[in-house]
């Protein structure tokens, strides 16, 4: 395990705490989190409305374009894969040396499902498989959860079903994905994610709301000059219990100081199909 200060994506904030290096002028993690929150919500709506230049190539380039649009202007590496190995707690994500190969295979396996033809139970199994392997890649230094959910919604956009994130908490979401990669298990297992999603698969609505009221309130709250953002952080939504907006753009409010870098990952480079039980 390597200390966070060796991470090329992290720097000291003015409060002495680690934070992501950024282009937005944020000098501490609290300010940066709110800048991220506001920008990624707005830009996710732009993607949903078709206002962003996202190539529908159904491959890694599409994922990179999504990430680049969500985080462009905040980070110089927006839309680019990480160059270091990372872990969150005891969960080690795909090593950088295997990242391109594994991520291409993970996206291809997701894009390859006949989403338009799947019944509810089949959609549940396909969604659990897809989100498990995409999460295992974790290809970016920051913003993996947000960009993953946008990518999944596009790749599975022809389905008659969708995931209703409104009752999902960050704690439950992260716990399930942690279990998919539990140490001592030789392969990825989508079963924890299947259990997580089992009660939240709903028919695809014909007139889904583009920006729910909760998102509008958060945007109003953060519509202020950057030097006031730290004060706003004291009244910002509790990401431990937020249930709706953050899972479309934010279930992971990762200012990824939670993620550490590793030098000797014990991780198999096998493709997704063989990684799954």
């Amino acid at each position: 395990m390597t200390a966070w200060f060796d991470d090329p994506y992290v720097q000291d904030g003015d409060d002495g705490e680690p934070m992501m290096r950024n282009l937005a002028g944020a000098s501490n993690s609290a300010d940066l989190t709110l800048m991220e929150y506001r920008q990624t919500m707005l830009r996710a709506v732009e993607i949903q409305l078709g206002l962003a230049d996202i190539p529908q190539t159904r491959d890694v380039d599409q994922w990179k374009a999504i990430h680049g649009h969500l985080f462009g202007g905040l980070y110089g590496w927006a839309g680019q894969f990480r160059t270091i190995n990372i872990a969150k707690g005891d969960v080690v994500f795909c090593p950088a040396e295997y990242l391109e190969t594994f991520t291409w295979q993970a996206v291809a396996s997701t894009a390859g499902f006949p989403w338009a033809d799947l019944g509810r139970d089949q959609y549940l199994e396909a969604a659990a498989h897809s989100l498990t392997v995409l999460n295992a890649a974790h290809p970016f230094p920051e913003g993996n959860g947000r960009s993953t959910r946008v990518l999944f919604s596009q790749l599975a956009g022809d389905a008659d079903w969708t995931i209703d994130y409104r009752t999902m908490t960050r704690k439950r979401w992260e716990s399930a994905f942690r279990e998919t990669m539990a140490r001592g298990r030789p392969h990825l297992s989508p079963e924890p994610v299947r259990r997580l999603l089992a009660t939240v698969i709903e028919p695809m609505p014909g007139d889904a709301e583009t920006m729910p009221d909760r998102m509008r309130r958060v945007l109003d709250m953060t519509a202020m000059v950057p030097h006031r953002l730290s004060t706003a952080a004291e009244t910002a939504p509790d990401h431990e219990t937020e249930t709706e907006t953050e899972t479309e753009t934010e279930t992971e409010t990762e200012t990824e100081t939670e993620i550490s870098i590793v030098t000797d990952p014990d991780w198999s480079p096998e493709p997704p199909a063989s990684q799954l039980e």
Side-chain angles (χ1 to χ4, degrees):
M1 186 75 67
T2 306
W4 67 262
F5 48 78
D6 292 326
D7 188 331
Y9 301 107
V10 175
Q11 66 181 28
D12 274 326
D14 60 10
D15 55 2
E17 296 298 319
M19 63 175 294
M20 300 298 293
R21 299 180 188 274
N22 66 91
L23 304 175
S27 58
N28 59 68
S29 183
D31 286 1
L32 182 58
T33 295
L34 286 173
M35 290 179 182
E36 269 191 18
Y37 197 87
R38 180 176 176 81
Q39 175 169 310
T40 56
M41 281 194 298
L42 289 169
R43 293 196 176 181
V45 171
E46 291 176 353
I47 293 173
Q48 184 179 350
L49 294 175
L51 301 178
D53 185 18
I54 307 296
Q56 300 300 303
T57 52
R58 301 181 69 79
D59 58 20
V60 162
D61 290 338
Q62 185 171 342
W63 198 353
K64 289 180 176 180
I66 290 168
H67 189 277
H69 187 74
L70 291 174
F71 294 94
L74 287 173
Y75 302 116
W77 41 261
Q80 301 174 28
F81 281 179
R82 56 182 165 84
T83 58
I84 58 173
N85 299 324
I86 62 173
K88 181 178 284 189
D90 63 349
V91 173
V92 179
F93 298 108
C94 181
E97 63 184 303
Y98 307 128
L99 195 53
E100 283 287 343
T101 298
F102 183 86
T103 306
W104 274 95
Q105 293 171 335
V107 175
S109 70
T110 301
F113 283 106
W115 294 102
D117 301 325
L118 301 183
R120 186 186 186 281
D121 290 346
Q122 293 171 312
Y123 177 90
L124 171 61
E125 297 296 331
H129 169 106
S130 299
L131 291 170
T132 294
V133 294
L134 294 173
N135 177 73
H138 243 68
F140 304 104
E142 148 82 357
N144 289 284
R146 281 160 278 187
S147 61
T148 297
R149 286 183 291 278
V150 175
L151 174 69
F152 176 77
S153 70
Q154 291 190 344
L155 296 181
D158 291 335
D160 293 328
W161 309 92
T162 189
I163 299 171
D164 183 355
Y165 293 106
R166 288 175 297 178
T167 59
M168 192 76 66
T169 65
R170 177 184 178 185
K171 183 176 181 179
R172 290 175 58 210
W173 181 269
E174 292 190 344
S175 177
F177 282 97
R178 187 176 299 113
E179 288 184 47
T180 68
M181 303 177 68
R183 287 193 183 278
R185 178 181 290 148
H187 304 290
L188 298 173
S189 171
E191 179 58 24
V193 177
R194 192 198 66 77
R195 293 195 303 267
L196 176 75
L197 300 179
T199 60
V200 295
I201 302 300
E202 302 290 343
M204 180 72 76
D207 54 351
E209 187 178 8
T210 301
M211 184 179 289
D213 287 341
R214 187 186 185 101
M215 182 185 288
R216 295 181 192 279
R217 291 195 299 272
V218 173
L219 291 176
D220 288 343
M221 182 190 73
T222 58
M224 55 187 71
V225 294
H227 73 270
R228 294 183 57 194
L229 288 173
S230 293
T231 303
E234 299 174 4
T235 57
D238 179 0
H239 296 301
E240 188 69 26
T241 56
E242 258 188 301
T243 59
E244 192 276 321
T245 302
E246 76 276 31
T247 46
E248 180 62 26
T249 57
E250 218 27 73
T251 297
E252 258 180 300
T253 30
E254 333 124 290
T255 306
E256 301 258 304
T257 50
E258 296 178 5
I259 286 186
S260 54
I261 58 178
V262 294
T263 56
D264 56 346
D266 179 17
W267 207 94
S268 167
E270 298 177 70
S274 60
Q275 281 281 328
L276 288 166
E277 293 178 341

